Amino acid sequence: MSFLISTTMHVHEKWLIQDTMYRGSAVKSFSQGLSCGFLNKSGKTEDVCDEHYDRLAMVYVLRGRGTYHDSLGHQFELRQGDVFFRFPDRSHTGTIDPDSQWHECFVSLRSEWYHIFQQLELIRPHQVRFEMGMTENIPTRIHGLMELIRKADTPTEISSIEFEIAALIRRVLASAQENRYADTPHVDRLKHAREIIRSQAAQKCSIEALLSDIGLSYSRLRSLFRSAYHISPGEFRIQVRIENACTLLETTDLPINKIADQLGYADAFTFSKQFKQRVALSPQQFRSR
């Protein structure tokens, strides 16, 4: 079950508050700080207009209706239970239905986290909004972060809270990914295919033969797999093999040709070529770096 989704669509009255906390630095710009809180925007028609954020912000709609539009052309409606992001690589415009009693809670932190989450493949620039449903977890955690910020005075304490905010964003993004996969056709078969590849990546057979018992034609499986995970089954097997190669190179003294054979490669040349394409170092360079 998802960490965040809840079936209730009623927000608890205790979250309909107006309170925000900001923490900056005496030696850094405001964009290097962090913030979180709750905002009541009832009666407003405009949220932001062509505004650029120097930070990564996550907003959770507790109540209300509105729209989002950014300079990259993404546009959609917003409603209760949605999470949306303000990414630092674009400007944003938002409108609010003044009769919808808009209320939100939010967190923000420096823009470097946007690039970190991209590198971890948790954030994709075109995925700005997620339908999370109503849950107590997000506002509860944000309220707890506010209390931590209120008491934080030292750089060490503020840094610790920054990681807590990043952890909350990571959990929301991971939960959103799980929800998206849940709607994928044959999701159980796709998960089984990943498990087979992960556990049998060293098998010296074609990827089609390895996944022949999944119950789908390979062309259908490949299409669904790439749509869900943004990688083909064959590419995923190479990824697993390279990951295992890194472990063997760091923790054993096995010769390169023995590692290649153990990983399922026909020869050391093919292994070394694939390894260098993905790691930018030869196996020997990686081992002796």
Side-chain angles (χ1 to χ4, degrees):
M1 182 177 177
S2 168
F3 163 68
L4 295 170
I5 288 295
S6 171
T7 56
T8 178
M9 289 303 292
H10 301 288
V11 61
H12 198 290
E13 290 294 323
K14 66 182 177 182
W15 304 128
L16 300 180
I17 56 178
Q18 180 89 354
D19 194 9
T20 59
M21 288 297 303
Y22 296 85
R23 273 293 181 271
S25 168
V27 296
K28 296 180 180 179
S29 67
F30 176 72
S31 64
Q32 294 296 301
L34 49 86
S35 64
C36 60
F38 295 76
L39 291 172
N40 182 352
K41 298 179 179 178
S42 298
K44 290 187 175 182
T45 58
E46 186 176 86
D47 185 9
V48 296
C49 182
D50 197 29
E51 185 170 337
H52 178 264
Y53 279 64
D54 290 329
R55 293 173 291 166
L56 170 63
M58 181 183 79
V59 181
Y60 180 53
V61 184
L62 293 166
R63 189 175 64 185
R65 296 181 302 275
T67 65
Y68 169 99
H69 177 77
D70 66 34
S71 57
L72 298 186
H74 302 107
Q75 186 171 357
F76 43 78
E77 295 183 354
L78 296 169
R79 62 177 182 269
Q80 183 186 46
D82 284 352
V83 163
F84 69 97
F85 287 85
R86 302 194 193 279
F87 294 151
D89 61 353
R90 67 200 70 178
S91 58
H92 313 80
T93 296
T95 65
I96 295 174
D97 179 342
D99 299 322
S100 66
Q101 298 182 305
W102 180 283
H103 212 107
E104 69 182 47
C105 55
F106 72 93
V107 293
S108 78
L109 68 177
R110 54 198 171 105
S111 61
E112 284 86 347
W113 286 100
Y114 174 60
H115 304 294
I116 291 172
F117 285 130
Q118 277 189 293
Q119 291 168 1
L120 294 174
E121 298 185 356
L122 285 171
I123 278 181
R124 293 184 172 86
H126 66 283
Q127 293 179 324
V128 184
R129 180 199 60 168
F130 301 95
E131 297 178 6
M132 303 305 298
M134 291 307 299
T135 172
E136 288 285 306
N137 291 300
I138 297 177
T140 297
R141 189 67 192 117
I142 291 177
H143 189 266
L145 289 166
M146 289 180 63
E147 295 306 307
L148 291 176
I149 294 175
R150 209 182 303 274
K151 300 173 183 177
D153 289 317
T154 69
T156 299
E157 291 172 334
I158 294 172
S159 295
S160 177
I161 296 168
E162 181 175 13
F163 278 98
E164 293 287 341
I165 293 176
L168 172 61
I169 293 175
R170 186 199 65 79
R171 295 185 78 173
V172 170
L173 289 168
S175 182
Q177 292 281 33
E178 291 174 9
N179 298 334
R180 184 171 64 83
Y181 293 152
D183 295 331
T184 301
H186 305 293
V187 63
D188 290 338
R189 293 183 182 183
L190 295 182
K191 289 180 179 179
H192 185 41
R194 285 178 64 92
E195 291 168 1
I196 290 175
I197 295 171
R198 178 69 70 181
S199 62
Q200 301 181 43
Q203 291 291 321
K204 293 182 178 181
C205 62
S206 68
I207 192 69
E208 293 94 332
L210 185 65
L211 301 176
S212 60
D213 293 332
I214 291 296
L216 297 169
S217 70
Y218 181 70
S219 60
R220 175 65 168 155
L221 173 62
R222 187 180 190 279
S223 175
L224 291 171
F225 198 99
R226 180 177 285 280
S227 177
Y229 304 125
H230 304 279
I231 190 173
S232 72
E235 291 166 342
F236 181 61
R237 180 164 71 168
I238 292 173
Q239 175 184 313
V240 173
R241 284 178 169 179
I242 298 303
E243 290 168 356
N244 292 339
C246 290
T247 299
L248 290 172
L249 288 166
E250 286 193 329
T251 61
T252 75
D253 294 322
L254 284 172
I256 302 301
N257 65 323
K258 293 292 186 182
I259 291 177
D261 183 67
Q262 191 166 320
L263 294 173
Y265 286 95
D267 52 66
F269 174 78
T270 303
F271 162 59
S272 297
K273 182 179 178 181
Q274 282 193 352
F275 190 93
K276 190 166 186 178
Q277 285 174 341
R278 285 158 177 79
V279 184
L281 295 171
S282 71
Q284 193 59 52
Q285 288 171 330
F286 180 86
R287 171 174 271 170
S288 61
R289 73 197 187 284

